[in-house]
């Protein structure tokens, strides 16, 4: 990439990572700390964790389309303002319903598709896979950082204080947005059935399902993981970072080894899904202590990091340039709808069948995903 392309990719990744940090920071602690709110049930814990996903899913396509029509920068500013308002609502919440409302508002600032389309606008086609992979890695790192900071900030400032910090992060992202160029694509199109058909090809739908399944598994798993850590006396909630930090380092090294040892994209893709499914089976079947928990969590994040980095480059490669905002919108909608479904169904399973059954659900989801991924065309990927 040129110096300008690297600088632009860095700014896009900073906005994306800052916002994702704000969305993910509650994951490692909320299911434990949620009892501080009124009217809490396991179902509403899952709903609060995943609520942002429903509004994200609903608004990604409109944001992506409007950014194609009116330009990326105005939509980024508007979306971050909504995210800020949602963070303030959650920070002032006294019951679980207000937290759900705040999380839903956070999600309504649905700018992920706009950011990815913006990146594609300013990076050459040859360098685009590198740029998308770079942003994907930053998102993975933001999630990892959220796992480290969440327990520490939650212990020091409580859930309310965490949401205030998240609101501050949205202001940081807004500052970065002001440094981006103001430009809109030349080509225009109507939001018609014919244009939707162009982004609902078999190849794109397979990738849309992939990101749906990945974030469904992620959200469901993090209803159970924080509780398992505490209930099995592995670590106290404020010390969770002590297991997440080494897991993060080792999982990134593992991801790099997988990516370099297996050069073919399809091989890396299928292997990562297999490792993800295996980790869920182990969570379901294993007696958990520090060692087993550490190993299983490392396997989980090796697979998650690899898939999170790989999928954006595949969607950018597959989508046509003139419908990229719309295609990214549908892809991002699938991602966040997966987070919503994972939170709601995971919470429902926890409420009705017990916490361990959540991992049975995620295991079956990963197996179905792996079977669908087998149909990827080797020559294309």
């Amino acid at each position: 990439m040129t110096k300008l392309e690297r600088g632009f990719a860095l700014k896009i990744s900073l906005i994306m990572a800052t916002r994702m940090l704000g969305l993910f920071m509650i994951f490692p602690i909320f299911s434990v700390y949620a009892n501080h709110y009124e009217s809490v049930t396991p179902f509403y814990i899952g709903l609060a964790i995943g609520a942002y996903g429903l509004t994200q899913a609903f608004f990604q396509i409109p944001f992506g389309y409007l950014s194609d029509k009116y330009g990326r920068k105005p939509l980024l500013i508007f979306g971050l303002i909504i995210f800020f308002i949602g963070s303030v609502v959650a920070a002032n919440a006294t019951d679980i319903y207000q937290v759900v409302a705040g999380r839903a508002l956070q999600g309504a600032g649905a700018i992920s598709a706009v950011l990815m389309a913006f990146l594609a606008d300013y990076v050459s086609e040859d360098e685009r896979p590198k740029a998308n992979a770079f942003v994907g890695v930053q998102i993975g790192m933001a999630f990892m950082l959220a796992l480290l900071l969440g327990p520490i900030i939650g212990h020091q400032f409580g859930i309310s204080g965490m949401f205030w910090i998240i609101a501050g992060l949205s202001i940081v992202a807004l500052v970065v947005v002001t440094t981006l160029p103001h430009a809109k694509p030349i080509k225009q199109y109507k939001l018609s059935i014919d244009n939707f058909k162009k982004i609902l090809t078999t190849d794109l739908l397979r990738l849309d399902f992939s990101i749906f399944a990945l974030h469904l598994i992620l959200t469901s798993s993090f209803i159970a993981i924080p509780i398992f850590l505490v209930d099995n006396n592995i670590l106290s909630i404020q010390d969770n970072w002590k297991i997440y930090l080494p897991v993060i380092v080792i999982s990134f090294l593992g991801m790099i080894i997988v990516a370099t040892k297996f050069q073919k994209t399809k091989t890396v893709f299928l292997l990562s899904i297999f490792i993800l499914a295996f980790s869920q089976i182990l969570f379901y079947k294993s007696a958990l202590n520090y060692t087993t928990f550490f190993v299983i969590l490392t396997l989980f994040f090796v697979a998650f990091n690899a898939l999170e980095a790989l999928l954006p480059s595949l969607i950018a490669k597959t989508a046509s340039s003139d419908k990229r905002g719309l295609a990214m919108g549908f892809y991002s909608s699938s991602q966040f709808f997966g987070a919503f479904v994972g939170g709601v169904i995971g919470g429902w399973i926890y409420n009705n069948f017990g916490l361990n059954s959540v991992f049975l659900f995620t295991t079956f989801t990963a197996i179905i995903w792996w079977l669908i991924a087998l149909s990827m065309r080797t020559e294309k990927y």
Side-chain angles (χ1 to χ4, degrees):
M1 288 189 287
T2 66
K3 184 178 180 180
L4 288 175
E5 287 175 331
R6 286 196 299 271
F8 192 83
L10 178 60
K11 288 179 181 180
I12 293 294
S13 65
L14 280 173
I15 297 166
M16 184 79 83
T18 303
R19 185 170 164 280
M20 289 299 179
L21 182 63
L23 286 171
F24 290 147
M25 208 182 291
I26 76 165
F27 272 46
I29 62 169
F30 189 77
S31 55
V32 175
Y33 281 136
N35 290 327
H36 295 208
Y37 293 108
E38 298 175 8
S39 308
V40 171
T41 66
F43 173 77
Y44 278 106
I45 290 174
L47 185 59
I49 292 173
Y52 79 95
L54 180 63
T55 47
Q56 283 276 327
F58 185 80
F59 287 109
Q60 287 293 338
I61 292 174
F63 267 71
Y65 169 71
L66 291 172
S67 78
D68 282 340
K69 189 171 184 180
Y70 297 110
R72 315 295 188 200
K73 193 170 178 178
L75 271 297
L76 292 178
I77 293 171
F78 180 61
L80 286 169
I81 290 172
I82 296 174
F83 182 85
F84 173 81
I85 294 170
S87 301
V88 172
V89 170
N92 287 291
T94 57
D95 61 46
I96 194 67
Y97 308 117
Q98 293 169 356
V99 178
V100 170
R103 290 282 285 173
L105 269 174
Q106 282 183 321
I111 62 171
S112 295
V114 182
L115 285 167
M116 297 308 294
F118 209 169
L119 182 69
D121 293 338
Y122 281 85
V123 175
S124 64
E125 188 171 352
D126 290 341
E127 300 295 337
R128 204 170 290 146
K130 293 180 185 177
N132 281 284
F134 176 73
V135 173
V137 169
Q138 303 312 306
I139 294 171
M141 291 180 67
F143 181 72
M144 300 296 108
L145 189 59
L147 296 184
L148 296 179
L149 294 179
I152 297 170
I153 292 173
H155 179 66
Q156 293 293 324
F157 303 103
I159 292 290
S160 178
M162 177 178 291
F163 279 119
W164 281 116
I165 290 171
I166 291 169
L169 289 173
S170 66
I171 296 174
V172 173
L174 271 168
V175 171
V176 179
V177 169
T178 62
T179 68
L180 297 175
H182 182 79
K184 64 180 182 181
I186 297 171
K187 293 183 179 181
Q188 298 297 309
Y189 59 92
K190 294 181 179 179
L191 198 60
S192 63
I193 292 175
D194 287 339
N195 281 321
F196 267 109
K197 286 180 180 178
K198 292 177 182 177
I199 65 159
L200 296 178
T201 64
T202 302
D203 293 329
L204 285 172
L205 285 173
R206 188 187 294 113
L207 295 173
D208 292 334
F209 179 79
S210 294
I211 198 65
F212 169 87
L214 180 62
H215 281 259
L216 179 151
I217 292 168
L218 174 72
T219 310
S220 291
S221 296
F222 270 87
I223 293 172
I225 285 172
I227 299 174
F228 276 178
L229 272 170
V230 174
D231 287 356
N232 287 279
N233 297 314
I234 297 170
L235 283 171
S236 60
I237 191 66
Q238 64 267 24
D239 291 328
N240 279 4
W241 66 270
K242 293 180 181 179
I243 196 169
Y244 289 131
L245 180 58
V247 163
I248 288 167
V249 174
I250 295 172
S251 64
F252 267 109
L253 292 174
M255 178 192 72
I256 293 168
I257 292 169
V258 168
T260 40
K261 186 172 179 60
F262 302 96
Q263 297 295 324
K264 290 185 178 180
T265 301
K266 184 175 180 179
T267 304
V268 175
F269 193 58
L270 289 171
L271 179 60
S272 298
I273 300 171
F274 178 82
I275 293 171
L276 191 72
F278 187 56
S279 72
Q280 301 304 290
I281 293 171
L282 290 177
F283 267 129
Y284 177 68
K285 295 293 289 183
S286 302
L288 294 177
N289 53 43
Y290 184 92
T291 302
T292 57
F293 201 96
F294 182 89
V295 171
I296 298 169
L297 201 61
T298 301
L299 288 173
F300 175 84
F301 279 117
V302 166
F304 176 82
N305 291 335
L307 291 162
E308 192 74 20
L310 183 63
L311 283 168
S313 63
L314 291 179
I315 199 78
K317 179 180 179 181
T318 307
S320 62
S321 59
D322 63 323
K323 302 295 184 298
R324 189 169 289 119
L326 192 60
M328 290 293 186
F330 200 86
Y331 170 82
S332 296
S333 291
S334 302
Q335 172 184 346
F336 291 111
F337 188 62
F340 170 72
V341 172
V344 170
I345 295 183
W348 179 79
I349 291 172
Y350 172 25
N351 191 59
N352 290 281
F353 302 102
L355 197 59
N356 199 41
S357 297
V358 173
F359 289 114
L360 189 61
F361 165 60
T362 55
T363 297
F364 280 118
T365 301
I367 292 170
I368 292 168
W369 177 13
W370 189 82
L371 292 173
I372 290 173
L374 281 174
S375 65
M376 285 177 64
R377 290 183 290 168
T378 305
E379 70 274 12
K380 186 173 183 64
Y381 300 112

